[in-house]
Amino acid sequence: MSSVSMRKVELLLLKSDIDAVLKYLATKRCFQIIYPDEIERLAREKRASFGLGGNEKLLASDDAFNKAPTAASTIARPAMNVKRFDESHLEERLINEPDLDEERLDDAQRKLDFISQFLGIESPKDIIEDSRLPDEDMLSKLEVLFDRCSQLKVSLDEEQAKLDGLAESIHEAKAFASLSRPFEEFEKFSYVSIQIGKVAKDKIEELSQMLGDRAVIIPLDEEGTILAASSRKGRFAFETALSKVGFEKKKPPEGLKGIPSETMNALEGAYQVGKLHFEKLLTEKKALKDQYSDLLQIIASSIRLKKAIALVESKLEKTRWAYRLSGWVPENMVDKLVKDLLTMLGNRISIRVYDPPELDLAGTKEKQEGVPVLLEHNSFVSAFQGIVLSYGTPLYGDIDPTPFVAFFFTLLFAIMFGDLGQGMVIASLGLAMHKAKKGLLASYKKYAHAFIAAGVGSMIMGLLVGSFFTSDTALIPIERALTGFFLGKPADRFLQIMPRENVSAMFYFFGFTLGVGVIINSTGIVINIINLIRRKEYGEAFFSKTGLAGALLFWWAIVMVVRIILGNKLGIVDVAGIGLPLLAIIFAEPIKSFIDKTYGKPHTEEASNWLIGGIIELLDIVSYFASNTFSFLRVGAFALAHAVLSFVIFTMGSLVSGKSASGLALEIIVFLFGNAVIIVLEGLIVTIQVIRLQYYEFFSKFFTRTGEPFKPVSFAGKV
């Protein structure tokens, strides 16, 4: 039940292949990169352990790549042994396959942001799983789309400005249209410029084409007299066009007042034409969005993927031509990884595989703490993995406590929360999580089996204590049949927690919960001893309070207490059973120093310090195991509290019930509300208490150091 075995894999590959390799590794999620700064740190620790200097560089030049390191095994074809590459071939390859530099990626990202904002397309929050790296074809499409969107935006802005100007002109003209004021005063308009004059008749059409939608031309007679109106914002261009066709300004006829209706009609007509043109541009914009939305999503994800890969590459060991990539891979995935890389790159890659024991730098501690930990379980056990990882990650090679946590959590929850009906609700909720495809329940799917296990355990305990949705009478017929079949004598229930006729039954139950505590504490101690022996820390394994000496002291004390309760007398064997572990704990430090050779041969002046430390350790171990054991009395207390609360809810429902329909309805409401409170509130409290017991009474026995979780390189989800 240890973590998944790991292997260190070292890849030596060409610069032109690094993007594809990183993308493959990220897709498979099987490779945790060891970055050079970490390698430097481990190397310094190794040199320091041998009394060497710590200032040497690990890698400095291309030659470092050509030195074949000592390896446990090399998985490669004969032609793929580490050797000096043909640099002329490399140079030709790099020229033929240019890389996308950071400046070009930033430019592509800028254009992509502009297009997305202009078209109203939301960029993907995560990198799409099967994204490909950006290439020239993709960037050229982005360039074309950027130019098209830029031109469309300019046209839209221009048309919007024209419409705004015409709207302002119409608004102001309408305000003055009915006024009986001399025509000359309308030249004072803020938004409209109106001119009356004469131009050659054959120039009127040319003038109309020249001004386009920017002005309105209204012929006033057959001799070439016209009225021209334009937005005052475009007055300079308006007057320039008039002068080009030889426009001669004339004074309005005497008595001309107001604004001619033809001018108003022409302005409104020009506005409608401009509006149609603007809507046509908006339709084109929507068509672009519909046509290229998916492509933009792909390009955005590809650029983000490339940037994420570039960030990783910037941290790797590299020379002008090559990269060296080191990392951890689960043992069961090494063969597939090597096969795929060889198929993909052929002779352009060298692969070396190391076993963790050969990576020991300066002792077992450094070796185990340097190897990442991957825990793999079935769907039931994995539902409880979060409890372990929230406390810490086990060291590589240590026993994985998750299966024990799964069992103990289910057991403790069932004891403290025993009700057949309420357990069915919890189990049903777990099944709903397991079946859910989307929504709130689907987001908690990984905990589905934990809910199912807790619910089933609660159902079993509820059957033993005869509780069904707080009622302790509903199951009596079934209980009598079952107890008669299994025990030979019918009874109302298998277990009696509530202190009614037989108070001693409650004390037996509390004794049972203490026994569960002894088992959990003992399991933690045994795990710790095995872990320490695996690490070759024999002193701690045999002479610490959570080692063999502490375990023997704890177990013998438990046996003595049980014998006293049963009426047996203690003897000389008990003195030896308690005394030997006590002596081992008192003199633990000098013994551990001698065994582990960490402090050398003890000196006489240090003996008093060891003795005082041993006595303090002895006092600590007594209080430690006593508190850890009696802490499990809370299990019985919460089980009793659950029974009492159920009794209160059931009694309240009975008190408000009656023969009338209202009394029955009120009773149902009390039962529904009471059970809901118990399931939600007490269920949460019991869960917290179970986790607390795991943390302080179980994990504290062996979680003295923690490891690092396996974090394979993955770009999915990066932004």
Side-chain angles (χ1 to χ4, degrees), residues 153 166 198 335 351 437 444 469 483 493 505 519 531 537-538 570 575 589 662 683:
K153 186 177 187 302
L166 286 170
K198 189 173 182 180
D335 292 341
I351 306 175
K437 301 297 182 181
Y444 294 95
F469 285 120
T483 53
R493 56 189 54 83
I519 294 173
N531 288 343
E537 299 177 23
Y538 299 114
L570 304 180
V575 176
E589 286 303 320
S662 59

Side-chain angles (χ1 to χ4, degrees), residues 117-137:
Q117 183 177 6
F118 174 67
L119 296 181
I121 298 174
E122 185 177 355
S123 297
K125 296 180 180 179
D126 299 331
I127 294 176
I128 301 173
E129 185 71 27
D130 56 349
S131 295
R132 62 186 178 93
L133 292 168
D135 52 24
E136 291 297 332
D137 178 63

